[in-house]
Amino acid sequence: MTEIRKAACPLNCWDSCGFKITVDDGKVVKVEGDETHPITRGKICGRGRMLEKRTNSEQRLLYPLKKVNGEFIQISWEQALDEIAAEFREIKQTVGTTAVLHSHDYANNGILKNLDQRFFNCYGGVTQVYGSLCWGAGIEAQKWDFGNAYSHEPDDIINSKNIVIWGRNVARTNMHLYERLLEAKKQGIKLFVIDPLYNATAKQADDFITVRPGMDGILAAGIMKEILRLGLEDRDFIEQSTHGFEDLAGLLDSISLEKISEMTEVSCEMITQLALVYSDRPTATYMGLGMQRYENGGNTIRLIDALAAISGNIGLRGGGANYANLQVGQSFAFDELTLPQRKQNSRQFSMMQQAEEILKAADPSIEMIVVTCGNPLTQVPDSRVVEKAFSSVPTVVVLEQFMTDTALMADYVLPTTTAFEEEDFYYSSMYHHYINYSPKLVSAPGEAKSDLWIWTQLAERLGFGEDFAYTRDEWLRMTLKPLEDSGITLEKLKELHTMELPVEKVPWRNRKFQTPTGKFEFTSHIGQSKGKSGLLSLAVPNESKWKNRLLAKTYPYQLLTIHPLRSNHSQNYHLLGDNLKLKVEIAPNIAEDQGLSNGDYVRVWNDRGEVMGYISILVKAHPNTINIDEGIWKKFGGSVNQLTSSRESDNGLGSTLYDCLVNLERIKTN
């Protein structure tokens, strides 16, 4: 029997799409877009369609596995859970619960995936990772400026006169914003793209501005400098609704426009033009996540926020400094779901430096790692150190669907369900503000179990089973409690599948900010309370000629590691065929300087490591720029994170994955 059911995409990306799933004889056979979804309107990307292949793949892990003498053997769930529970019990009784490290990321954005936090809190509190490889520096930056990180609702874009897409290839990562850009252009709204790479979004721009990687904040400073010189600032907003403007003005006076042009490799004339664009209100800015993956990353986002503020584009329809939309996730009852008050002990390691922290941990040392919703052996920077760290820990447990690079390092691998094999609801804190319900559609193959089932079984063995004695409906109702007064209930969500959350559609319209002063803060009190100066600066990337000339001479090329087109991070590479090869994309000047052609086999290296791959020459990329998509597995030539640094961003909450210089040489000609 064939039926078509509504569902939702579980991937942690901007769009959080509505699905229509064709199920035939208990098997998912087709994934399509739900044309009734108010934002995604029936269109989905290849990564979403790939979920059918992911669910039905013959490579799925079907049974619990234990490594014995270096080889995996199949064991029963009872044995796996009993032995893992015994490890938890022994660690708690002998060295303390923080000897367990929970390494968690966001491969699946289901609300009930957060129940791993409940388990570890009820266990007594473990070592957790903080920060984010993805967007952490920018989130922290906007909290310093605004008090929170909010974006305008998607349909507000039609109120703009100008749109600036800054460091964000929405054609690849946010296809429904891309559609709205095309609609906006038809109505005469001007589109500007600022990026080191000439991408599919840039092709649609009225003007494309190529900037030296990592210098976006310096460019924003130049635009502000010109706005002030021309007297185009929103003086009313600055005087009534901001704090610390004098500090910013002094900073801008300390550098010439010509110096900014030299550093950014953007002409003075273009900087002046952008000043006019920002002053022609309303101008909306949509920022990407890449330009804050530098040591100066938080400061970069803060300078772009400041540009939106002095030009009068905050709290204005059609404006905004749009980076993330945390008010979506803040709608749910996370504390009731995760029970943070049950935590008796705690320790935190940086997400970026978890490997180094594992290797030096003492009192207690790390005796056990549990990995959920992530693949740190591929995704965490400085992969060689990550492998060394994970190899040093007595017990590694990985919940997974496939034998990833991380799963290969495990002592126990527990097979988990895919999104179509469990009920949950999904949302995105990056773009739109709708919640999507997704029912269980098919049964899992073999003995694959949901994360919730695994935590429940372990909780029962460890003596706190009553904390997991809820039905799935009860868990879902628990998370929705704060929304009941807004008419959002589980029953209604199941009926409608997609519901609009009660959020500010144009944030900060009342000019009341969530900062200590209640104003937009150019000089941040929150930053100062965390031991930082709170001041904006003209900071540059650590690995650059402006900060480390000798390093830049040895490694003359800037490496970017952007999101892949066909895989959500590392999730789909194994499904794309055995002939997959690591692609090294280079700016035309590199090809010309080194006599390289498409298909040449090259080595890319720095002091941290090396990778080998095949040349693809980019069009209009900024000079001396290289890109290697992140996420590729070891067996296909990765991970590119053998080259990247585990340093933290300036505010400590983000990665420096793009703050990376490399060299390149040909090994053989195509």
Side-chain angles (χ1 to χ4, degrees):
M1 178 180 175
T2 301
E3 59 177 341
I4 297 176
R5 303 277 303 277
K6 284 192 176 185
C9 185
L11 299 178
N12 182 34
C13 88
W14 301 89
D15 295 80
S16 192
C17 296
F19 280 171
K20 287 196 311 184
I21 308 297
T22 302
V23 179
D24 184 31
D25 196 22
K27 181 179 179 180
V28 171
V29 296
K30 186 184 291 186
V31 178
E32 299 176 292
D34 174 13
E35 66 279 357
T36 68
H37 192 284
I39 300 297
T40 62
R41 303 185 294 199
K43 294 187 178 180
I44 61 172
C45 72
R47 294 180 290 269
R49 294 184 193 280
M50 188 71 77
L51 291 166
E52 177 272 322
K53 190 172 184 179
R54 187 173 181 88
T55 298
N56 296 322
S57 173
E58 294 182 357
Q59 300 178 52
R60 284 279 299 273
L61 296 172
L62 303 180
Y63 306 97
L65 301 174
K66 179 182 180 181
K67 189 175 286 178
V68 179
N69 297 323
E71 301 290 335
F72 284 112
I73 63 170
Q74 180 180 326
I75 60 175
S76 67
W77 271 109
E78 184 176 12
Q79 179 184 348
L81 294 167
D82 285 348
E83 291 181 6
I84 293 169
E87 293 277 356
F88 274 118
R89 196 177 298 111
E90 175 71 13
I91 289 170
K92 186 172 186 176
Q93 292 172 352
T94 57
V95 291
T97 59
T98 55
V100 176
L101 169 66
H102 177 210
S103 182
H104 172 90
D105 219 314
Y106 297 93
N108 181 304
N109 215 34
I111 194 76
L112 297 188
K113 294 299 177 184
N114 293 281
L115 285 168
D116 52 7
Q117 297 179 45
R118 185 185 186 94
F119 172 85
F120 289 112
N121 288 336
C122 291
Y123 172 63
V126 299
T127 300
Q128 298 277 9
V129 293
Y130 70 86
S132 168
L133 299 173
C134 195
W135 66 352
I139 294 293
E140 181 72 358
Q142 291 212 314
K143 287 181 177 179
W144 288 18
D145 297 338
F146 298 95
N148 221 320
Y150 292 170
S151 287
H152 291 223
E153 61 99 3
D155 290 333
D156 182 59
I157 197 169
I158 213 68
N159 297 311
S160 305
K161 290 177 70 175
N162 305 288
I163 301 166
V164 178
I165 305 295
W166 203 323
R168 182 167 163 183
N169 182 10
V170 299
R172 176 178 286 201
T173 62
N174 192 182
M175 64 181 294
H176 299 95
L177 173 55
Y178 181 72
E179 288 185 324
R180 281 163 172 75
L181 291 181
L182 299 181
E183 294 169 4
K185 278 179 62 65
K186 290 178 181 177
Q187 297 192 28
I189 299 170
K190 298 295 184 182
L191 174 62
F192 301 83
V193 172
I194 304 173
D195 204 287
L197 303 179
Y198 184 70
N199 51 45
T201 308
K203 292 177 182 178
Q204 300 298 329
D206 292 281
D207 218 331
F208 168 62
I209 300 92
T210 173
V211 60
R212 183 178 178 87
M215 293 295 184
D216 304 86
I218 304 297
L219 176 57
I223 300 169
M224 285 189 282
K225 187 175 180 69
E226 280 295 88
I227 287 174
L228 294 176
R229 181 183 70 83
L230 296 168
L232 299 174
E233 70 275 16
D234 186 339
R235 185 56 58 175
D236 178 67
F237 180 80
I238 291 170
E239 292 178 353
Q240 297 185 24
S241 302
T242 73
H243 166 78
F245 176 71
E246 297 80 7
D247 294 331
L248 172 62
L251 177 70
L252 299 177
D253 285 341
S254 73
I255 189 171
S256 70
L257 189 66
E258 290 72 22
K259 186 65 173 180
I260 288 173
S261 176
E262 179 189 356
M263 295 174 73
T264 61
E265 299 174 4
V266 177
S267 71
C268 292
E269 292 77 14
M270 179 55 70
I271 295 173
T272 302
Q273 181 184 337
L274 288 169
L276 296 173
V277 168
Y278 268 93
S279 304
D280 183 27
R281 298 185 289 270
T283 294
T285 304
Y286 291 86
M287 290 176 269
L289 306 184
M291 60 189 170
Q292 45 87 59
R293 295 186 184 123
Y294 296 85
E295 190 167 283
N296 62 331
N299 188 72
T300 292
I301 301 303
R302 293 197 66 213
L303 284 167
I304 298 173
D305 288 347
L307 169 58
I310 74 161
S311 61
N313 285 296
I314 300 300
L316 183 70
R317 291 179 65 192
N322 301 286
Y323 177 82
N325 203 6
L326 296 190
Q327 58 184 326
V328 177
Q330 291 165 359
S331 300
F332 307 113
F334 275 105
D335 281 357
E336 188 167 355
L337 189 68
T338 61
L339 296 181
Q341 71 276 11
R342 293 287 297 278
K343 187 188 305 181
Q344 297 171 323
N345 303 289
S346 65
R347 179 170 60 177
Q348 290 190 316
F349 290 170
S350 159
M351 171 77 83
M352 289 63 70
Q353 296 185 335
Q354 58 186 283
E356 290 85 349
E357 296 279 13
I358 290 167
L359 290 170
K360 70 180 183 182
D363 193 29
S365 60
I366 297 298
E367 301 296 324
M368 184 184 210
I369 300 174
V370 182
V371 180
T372 60
C373 290
N375 185 10
L377 265 292
T378 298
Q379 295 302 120
V380 172
D382 208 344
S383 299
R384 291 191 300 177
V385 180
V386 180
E387 184 171 350
K388 179 181 178 182
F390 273 61
S391 298
S392 73
V393 175
T395 304
V396 177
V397 179
V398 175
L399 280 64
E400 249 301 347
Q401 297 163 2
F402 294 91
M403 191 58 73
T404 63
D405 290 349
T406 304
L408 285 168
M409 298 289 297
D411 297 285
Y412 294 92
V413 182
L414 305 182
T416 58
T417 48
T418 67
F420 302 142
E421 297 158 0
E422 60 185 30
E423 179 187 27
D424 213 332
F425 65 71
Y426 304 96
Y427 65 93
S428 172
S429 286
M430 293 181 277
Y431 180 49
H432 70 73
H433 58 286
Y434 286 78
I435 179 176
N436 302 327
Y437 171 73
S438 194
K440 178 179 177 179
L441 300 175
V442 295
S443 297
E447 295 179 7
K449 301 291 186 181
S450 70
D451 295 34
L452 174 54
W453 183 88
I454 294 170
W455 302 128
T456 301
Q457 293 294 315
L458 286 171
E460 289 176 356
R461 285 165 169 79
L462 292 170
F464 50 90
E466 67 277 4
D467 293 304
F468 281 79
Y470 298 89
T471 66
R472 205 160 186 107
D473 273 5
E474 288 171 336
W475 289 118
L476 294 173
R477 285 194 185 91
M478 183 186 298
T479 65
L480 293 172
K481 278 184 180 179
L483 295 165
E484 289 177 356
D485 290 344
S486 300
I488 299 176
T489 64
L490 181 59
E491 290 70 26
K492 199 165 184 179
L493 183 59
K494 286 186 176 186
E495 175 190 352
L496 299 176
H497 281 269
T498 299
M499 295 188 73
E500 185 176 12
L501 294 170
V503 301
E504 288 185 69
K505 295 185 177 181
V506 179
W508 322 119
R509 289 192 75 176
N510 59 6
R511 297 192 174 186
K512 294 180 180 178
F513 299 90
Q514 295 178 23
T515 57
T517 61
K519 298 181 177 183
F520 179 94
E521 296 191 357
F522 297 109
T523 299
S524 170
H525 284 81
I526 295 175
Q528 292 169 346
S529 72
K530 295 188 175 185
K532 310 289 186 179
S533 73
L535 294 167
L536 289 164
S537 73
L538 298 173
V540 298
N542 181 68
E543 296 193 13
S544 69
K545 68 179 182 180
W546 299 101
K547 197 167 184 180
N548 196 331
R549 187 167 294 275
L550 181 61
L551 184 72
K553 188 174 181 180
T554 305
Y555 301 112
Y557 305 127
Q558 179 78 48
L559 176 68
L560 304 179
T561 53
I562 68 173
H563 292 321
L565 176 63
R566 296 189 291 166
S567 180
N568 202 51
H569 302 295
S570 69
Q571 291 184 41
N572 291 344
Y573 278 101
H574 60 300
L575 303 175
L576 298 177
D578 293 334
N579 295 322
L580 194 68
K581 297 177 181 179
L582 187 142
K583 183 166 63 173
V584 180
E585 298 179 304
I586 61 174
N589 80 296
I590 302 175
E592 183 177 348
D593 293 346
Q594 294 210 26
L596 296 169
S597 301
N598 286 321
D600 284 354
Y601 190 56
V602 296
R603 169 181 175 247
V604 184
W605 83 95
N606 58 20
D607 290 343
R608 289 179 287 270
E610 66 178 20
V611 295
M612 315 288 188
Y614 295 85
I615 287 292
S616 177
I617 302 172
L618 295 167
V619 177
K620 295 186 183 179
H622 200 85
N624 296 321
T625 301
I626 296 174
N627 175 65
I628 301 174
D629 287 358
E630 55 92 11
I632 194 165
W633 294 21
K634 190 173 184 178
K635 68 179 182 179
F636 299 120
S639 160
V640 70
N641 284 320
Q642 293 176 77
L643 301 168
T644 58
S645 167
S646 61
R647 294 188 311 273
E648 298 170 342
S649 63
D650 44 12
N651 57 32
L653 273 295
S655 69
T656 57
L657 288 165
Y658 287 15
D659 201 331
C660 181
L661 292 178
V662 297
N663 210 331
L664 178 149
E665 65 180 357
R666 179 168 49 203
I667 297 174
K668 64 180 181 180
T669 304
N670 178 24

Short mmCIF file of all heavy atoms in Angstrom, two decimals, residues 179-220:
data_model
loop_
_atom_site.label_atom_id
_atom_site.label_comp_id
_atom_site.label_asym_id
_atom_site.label_seq_id
_atom_site.Cartn_x
_atom_site.Cartn_y
_atom_site.Cartn_z
N GLU A 179 15.42 32.19 -3.04
CA GLU A 179 14.18 32.42 -3.80
C GLU A 179 13.61 33.80 -3.53
O GLU A 179 13.15 34.49 -4.44
CB GLU A 179 13.15 31.35 -3.45
CG GLU A 179 13.46 29.98 -4.01
CD GLU A 179 12.33 29.00 -3.73
OE1 GLU A 179 11.72 29.10 -2.65
OE2 GLU A 179 12.05 28.17 -4.61
N ARG A 180 13.65 34.22 -2.26
CA ARG A 180 13.12 35.53 -1.92
C ARG A 180 13.99 36.65 -2.48
O ARG A 180 13.49 37.73 -2.81
CB ARG A 180 12.96 35.64 -0.40
CG ARG A 180 11.68 34.93 0.10
CD ARG A 180 11.69 34.67 1.58
NE ARG A 180 10.38 34.17 2.02
CZ ARG A 180 9.93 32.93 1.80
NH1 ARG A 180 10.68 32.06 1.13
NH2 ARG A 180 8.74 32.54 2.22
N LEU A 181 15.28 36.41 -2.59
CA LEU A 181 16.15 37.39 -3.23
C LEU A 181 15.76 37.60 -4.70
O LEU A 181 15.72 38.73 -5.19
CB LEU A 181 17.61 36.95 -3.16
CG LEU A 181 18.28 36.93 -1.79
CD1 LEU A 181 19.73 36.48 -1.92
CD2 LEU A 181 18.21 38.29 -1.12
N LEU A 182 15.47 36.50 -5.39
CA LEU A 182 15.06 36.61 -6.79
C LEU A 182 13.74 37.36 -6.92
O LEU A 182 13.57 38.18 -7.83
CB LEU A 182 14.95 35.21 -7.40
CG LEU A 182 16.23 34.37 -7.42
CD1 LEU A 182 15.97 33.02 -8.09
CD2 LEU A 182 17.37 35.11 -8.11
N GLU A 183 12.82 37.11 -5.98
CA GLU A 183 11.55 37.84 -5.98
C GLU A 183 11.79 39.33 -5.71
O GLU A 183 11.17 40.20 -6.34
CB GLU A 183 10.61 37.25 -4.92
CG GLU A 183 10.16 35.81 -5.22
CD GLU A 183 9.47 35.17 -4.03
OE1 GLU A 183 9.28 35.87 -3.00
OE2 GLU A 183 9.13 33.98 -4.12
N ALA A 184 12.68 39.62 -4.77
CA ALA A 184 12.98 41.01 -4.43
C ALA A 184 13.58 41.76 -5.62
O ALA A 184 13.23 42.92 -5.89
CB ALA A 184 13.92 41.07 -3.23
N LYS A 185 14.48 41.10 -6.33
CA LYS A 185 15.12 41.73 -7.49
C LYS A 185 14.08 42.09 -8.56
O LYS A 185 14.17 43.13 -9.21
CB LYS A 185 16.18 40.81 -8.08
CG LYS A 185 17.53 40.87 -7.36
CD LYS A 185 18.53 39.93 -7.96
CE LYS A 185 18.85 40.25 -9.41
NZ LYS A 185 19.53 41.55 -9.59
N LYS A 186 13.08 41.22 -8.74
CA LYS A 186 12.03 41.50 -9.72
C LYS A 186 11.25 42.76 -9.36
O LYS A 186 10.67 43.41 -10.23
CB LYS A 186 11.08 40.31 -9.83
CG LYS A 186 11.70 39.09 -10.49
CD LYS A 186 10.72 37.93 -10.52
CE LYS A 186 11.33 36.70 -11.16
NZ LYS A 186 10.41 35.52 -11.13
N GLN A 187 11.24 43.10 -8.06
CA GLN A 187 10.52 44.30 -7.61
C GLN A 187 11.43 45.52 -7.56
O GLN A 187 11.05 46.57 -7.03
CB GLN A 187 9.90 44.03 -6.24
CG GLN A 187 8.86 42.92 -6.28
CD GLN A 187 8.03 42.86 -5.01
OE1 GLN A 187 7.85 43.88 -4.33
NE2 GLN A 187 7.52 41.68 -4.69
N GLY A 188 12.66 45.36 -8.07
CA GLY A 188 13.55 46.51 -8.15
C GLY A 188 14.45 46.72 -6.94
O GLY A 188 15.16 47.73 -6.86
N ILE A 189 14.42 45.80 -5.98
CA ILE A 189 15.30 45.91 -4.81
C ILE A 189 16.72 45.54 -5.23
O ILE A 189 16.94 44.55 -5.92
CB ILE A 189 14.80 44.99 -3.68
CG1 ILE A 189 13.37 45.41 -3.27
CG2 ILE A 189 15.73 45.02 -2.48
CD1 ILE A 189 12.68 44.43 -2.34
N LYS A 190 17.69 46.33 -4.81
CA LYS A 190 19.08 46.12 -5.20
C LYS A 190 19.75 45.07 -4.31
O LYS A 190 19.53 45.04 -3.09
CB LYS A 190 19.87 47.43 -5.12
CG LYS A 190 19.36 48.52 -6.06
CD LYS A 190 19.53 48.12 -7.52
CE LYS A 190 19.11 49.25 -8.46
NZ LYS A 190 19.23 48.87 -9.88
N LEU A 191 20.57 44.24 -4.94
CA LEU A 191 21.25 43.16 -4.23
C LEU A 191 22.76 43.34 -4.33
O LEU A 191 23.30 43.48 -5.44
CB LEU A 191 20.84 41.80 -4.81
CG LEU A 191 21.58 40.57 -4.28
CD1 LEU A 191 21.34 40.40 -2.78
CD2 LEU A 191 21.16 39.31 -5.04
N PHE A 192 23.43 43.30 -3.19
CA PHE A 192 24.89 43.39 -3.12
C PHE A 192 25.41 42.15 -2.40
O PHE A 192 24.87 41.76 -1.36
CB PHE A 192 25.31 44.66 -2.38
CG PHE A 192 24.81 45.92 -3.02
CD1 PHE A 192 23.52 46.38 -2.76
CD2 PHE A 192 25.59 46.62 -3.91
CE1 PHE A 192 23.03 47.52 -3.36
CE2 PHE A 192 25.12 47.77 -4.53
CZ PHE A 192 23.83 48.23 -4.25
N VAL A 193 26.46 41.55 -2.92
CA VAL A 193 27.07 40.38 -2.31
C VAL A 193 28.52 40.68 -2.00
O VAL A 193 29.27 41.13 -2.88
CB VAL A 193 26.96 39.14 -3.22
CG1 VAL A 193 27.77 37.97 -2.65
CG2 VAL A 193 25.50 38.73 -3.40
N ILE A 194 28.91 40.47 -0.73
CA ILE A 194 30.29 40.65 -0.29
C ILE A 194 30.82 39.28 0.10
O ILE A 194 30.27 38.64 1.01
CB ILE A 194 30.38 41.62 0.90
CG1 ILE A 194 29.74 42.97 0.54
CG2 ILE A 194 31.82 41.80 1.35
CD1 ILE A 194 29.62 43.93 1.72
N ASP A 195 31.87 38.82 -0.57
CA ASP A 195 32.35 37.46 -0.33
C ASP A 195 33.72 37.29 -0.99
O ASP A 195 33.97 37.91 -2.04
CB ASP A 195 31.36 36.45 -0.94
CG ASP A 195 31.44 35.08 -0.29
OD1 ASP A 195 32.43 34.37 -0.55
OD2 ASP A 195 30.52 34.72 0.44
N PRO A 196 34.59 36.45 -0.44
CA PRO A 196 35.85 36.17 -1.15
C PRO A 196 35.66 35.30 -2.39
O PRO A 196 36.51 35.30 -3.28
CB PRO A 196 36.69 35.41 -0.11
CG PRO A 196 36.02 35.65 1.20
CD PRO A 196 34.57 35.85 0.89
N LEU A 197 34.54 34.55 -2.45
CA LEU A 197 34.30 33.62 -3.55
C LEU A 197 33.14 34.11 -4.41
O LEU A 197 32.09 34.54 -3.88
CB LEU A 197 33.99 32.22 -3.02
CG LEU A 197 35.05 31.58 -2.12
CD1 LEU A 197 34.59 30.20 -1.65
CD2 LEU A 197 36.40 31.48 -2.83
N TYR A 198 33.30 34.01 -5.71
CA TYR A 198 32.22 34.35 -6.64
C TYR A 198 31.33 33.11 -6.76
O TYR A 198 31.66 32.14 -7.43
CB TYR A 198 32.79 34.74 -8.00
CG TYR A 198 31.74 35.18 -9.00
CD1 TYR A 198 31.08 36.39 -8.84
CD2 TYR A 198 31.43 34.39 -10.09
CE1 TYR A 198 30.12 36.81 -9.76
CE2 TYR A 198 30.47 34.79 -11.02
CZ TYR A 198 29.82 36.00 -10.84
OH TYR A 198 28.87 36.40 -11.75
N ASN A 199 30.19 33.15 -6.07
CA ASN A 199 29.34 31.97 -5.97
C ASN A 199 28.01 32.19 -6.69
O ASN A 199 27.80 33.22 -7.34
CB ASN A 199 29.11 31.63 -4.49
CG ASN A 199 28.64 32.83 -3.68
OD1 ASN A 199 27.76 33.57 -4.10
ND2 ASN A 199 29.24 33.04 -2.52
N ALA A 200 27.12 31.22 -6.55
CA ALA A 200 25.84 31.29 -7.26
C ALA A 200 25.00 32.48 -6.81
O ALA A 200 24.25 33.04 -7.61
CB ALA A 200 25.07 29.98 -7.05
N THR A 201 25.11 32.87 -5.54
CA THR A 201 24.39 34.05 -5.07
C THR A 201 24.97 35.31 -5.69
O THR A 201 24.25 36.22 -6.11
CB THR A 201 24.44 34.14 -3.54
OG1 THR A 201 24.02 32.89 -2.98
CG2 THR A 201 23.54 35.24 -3.02
N ALA A 202 26.30 35.36 -5.77
CA ALA A 202 26.97 36.53 -6.35
C ALA A 202 26.58 36.75 -7.80
O ALA A 202 26.53 37.89 -8.28
CB ALA A 202 28.49 36.36 -6.23
N LYS A 203 26.26 35.68 -8.51
CA LYS A 203 25.86 35.80 -9.92
C LYS A 203 24.58 36.61 -10.08
O LYS A 203 24.31 37.17 -11.14
CB LYS A 203 25.69 34.42 -10.54
CG LYS A 203 26.99 33.64 -10.70
CD LYS A 203 26.74 32.25 -11.25
CE LYS A 203 28.03 31.46 -11.36
NZ LYS A 203 27.82 30.07 -11.85
N GLN A 204 23.77 36.66 -9.02
CA GLN A 204 22.50 37.39 -9.08
C GLN A 204 22.62 38.84 -8.61
O GLN A 204 21.66 39.60 -8.66
CB GLN A 204 21.45 36.68 -8.22
CG GLN A 204 21.16 35.24 -8.64
CD GLN A 204 20.59 35.16 -10.04
OE1 GLN A 204 19.90 36.07 -10.49
NE2 GLN A 204 20.88 34.07 -10.73
N ALA A 205 23.81 39.21 -8.14
CA ALA A 205 23.97 40.52 -7.50
C ALA A 205 24.03 41.66 -8.51
O ALA A 205 24.52 41.51 -9.63
CB ALA A 205 25.24 40.51 -6.66
N ASP A 206 23.55 42.82 -8.08
CA ASP A 206 23.76 44.05 -8.85
C ASP A 206 25.21 44.47 -8.76
O ASP A 206 25.74 45.09 -9.68
CB ASP A 206 22.85 45.16 -8.31
CG ASP A 206 21.39 44.87 -8.59
OD1 ASP A 206 20.96 45.09 -9.73
OD2 ASP A 206 20.69 44.38 -7.68
N ASP A 207 25.84 44.12 -7.64
CA ASP A 207 27.27 44.38 -7.49
C ASP A 207 27.87 43.32 -6.58
O ASP A 207 27.31 42.99 -5.53
CB ASP A 207 27.51 45.76 -6.88
CG ASP A 207 28.72 46.46 -7.51
OD1 ASP A 207 29.65 45.75 -7.95
OD2 ASP A 207 28.73 47.70 -7.55
N PHE A 208 29.00 42.76 -7.01
CA PHE A 208 29.73 41.76 -6.23
C PHE A 208 31.03 42.39 -5.74
O PHE A 208 31.81 42.93 -6.53
CB PHE A 208 30.03 40.52 -7.08
CG PHE A 208 31.02 39.57 -6.46
CD1 PHE A 208 30.75 38.96 -5.24
CD2 PHE A 208 32.23 39.29 -7.09
CE1 PHE A 208 31.65 38.09 -4.65
CE2 PHE A 208 33.14 38.41 -6.52
CZ PHE A 208 32.85 37.81 -5.29
N ILE A 209 31.24 42.34 -4.44
CA ILE A 209 32.43 42.93 -3.83
C ILE A 209 33.27 41.79 -3.26
O ILE A 209 32.85 41.10 -2.33
CB ILE A 209 32.07 43.93 -2.72
CG1 ILE A 209 31.21 45.06 -3.28
CG2 ILE A 209 33.32 44.47 -2.05
CD1 ILE A 209 29.72 44.84 -3.20
N THR A 210 34.45 41.59 -3.84
CA THR A 210 35.33 40.55 -3.33
C THR A 210 36.25 41.16 -2.27
O THR A 210 36.87 42.20 -2.49
CB THR A 210 36.15 39.91 -4.47
OG1 THR A 210 37.11 39.01 -3.91
CG2 THR A 210 36.87 40.94 -5.32
N VAL A 211 36.31 40.49 -1.11
CA VAL A 211 37.06 41.01 0.03
C VAL A 211 38.08 39.96 0.45
O VAL A 211 37.84 38.76 0.33
CB VAL A 211 36.10 41.35 1.20
CG1 VAL A 211 35.32 40.13 1.66
CG2 VAL A 211 36.85 41.98 2.38
N ARG A 212 39.21 40.43 0.95
CA ARG A 212 40.22 39.49 1.44
C ARG A 212 39.64 38.71 2.63
O ARG A 212 39.05 39.30 3.54
CB ARG A 212 41.48 40.24 1.88
CG ARG A 212 42.60 39.32 2.35
CD ARG A 212 43.85 40.11 2.73
NE ARG A 212 44.89 39.21 3.21
CZ ARG A 212 45.78 38.59 2.43
NH1 ARG A 212 45.74 38.80 1.11
NH2 ARG A 212 46.68 37.79 2.94
N PRO A 213 39.77 37.37 2.63
CA PRO A 213 39.20 36.56 3.72
C PRO A 213 39.64 37.05 5.10
O PRO A 213 40.82 37.36 5.32
CB PRO A 213 39.73 35.16 3.44
CG PRO A 213 39.95 35.13 1.97
CD PRO A 213 40.42 36.51 1.62
N GLY A 214 38.67 37.15 6.01
CA GLY A 214 38.94 37.54 7.38
C GLY A 214 38.99 39.03 7.61
O GLY A 214 39.16 39.49 8.75
N MET A 215 38.82 39.82 6.55
CA MET A 215 38.91 41.28 6.67
C MET A 215 37.54 41.96 6.58
O MET A 215 37.46 43.17 6.35
CB MET A 215 39.84 41.83 5.59
CG MET A 215 41.29 41.41 5.77
SD MET A 215 41.98 42.11 7.29
CE MET A 215 43.68 41.55 7.17
N ASP A 216 36.48 41.21 6.76
CA ASP A 216 35.13 41.75 6.63
C ASP A 216 34.85 42.84 7.66
O ASP A 216 34.19 43.84 7.37
CB ASP A 216 34.11 40.63 6.76
CG ASP A 216 34.35 39.51 5.77
OD1 ASP A 216 35.15 38.60 6.07
OD2 ASP A 216 33.78 39.55 4.68
N GLY A 217 35.33 42.65 8.89
CA GLY A 217 35.13 43.66 9.91
C GLY A 217 35.85 44.96 9.60
O GLY A 217 35.33 46.06 9.84
N ILE A 218 37.04 44.86 9.04
CA ILE A 218 37.78 46.05 8.65
C ILE A 218 37.03 46.79 7.54
O ILE A 218 36.96 48.02 7.52
CB ILE A 218 39.20 45.67 8.17
CG1 ILE A 218 39.95 44.88 9.25
CG2 ILE A 218 39.98 46.92 7.78
CD1 ILE A 218 40.19 45.64 10.53
N LEU A 219 36.44 46.02 6.62
CA LEU A 219 35.62 46.64 5.57
C LEU A 219 34.43 47.37 6.18
O LEU A 219 34.10 48.50 5.78
CB LEU A 219 35.15 45.57 4.58
CG LEU A 219 34.20 46.05 3.47
CD1 LEU A 219 34.83 47.17 2.65
CD2 LEU A 219 33.80 44.89 2.57
N ALA A 220 33.76 46.75 7.16
CA ALA A 220 32.63 47.40 7.82
C ALA A 220 33.08 48.70 8.48
O ALA A 220 32.37 49.72 8.46
CB ALA A 220 32.00 46.47 8.85
#
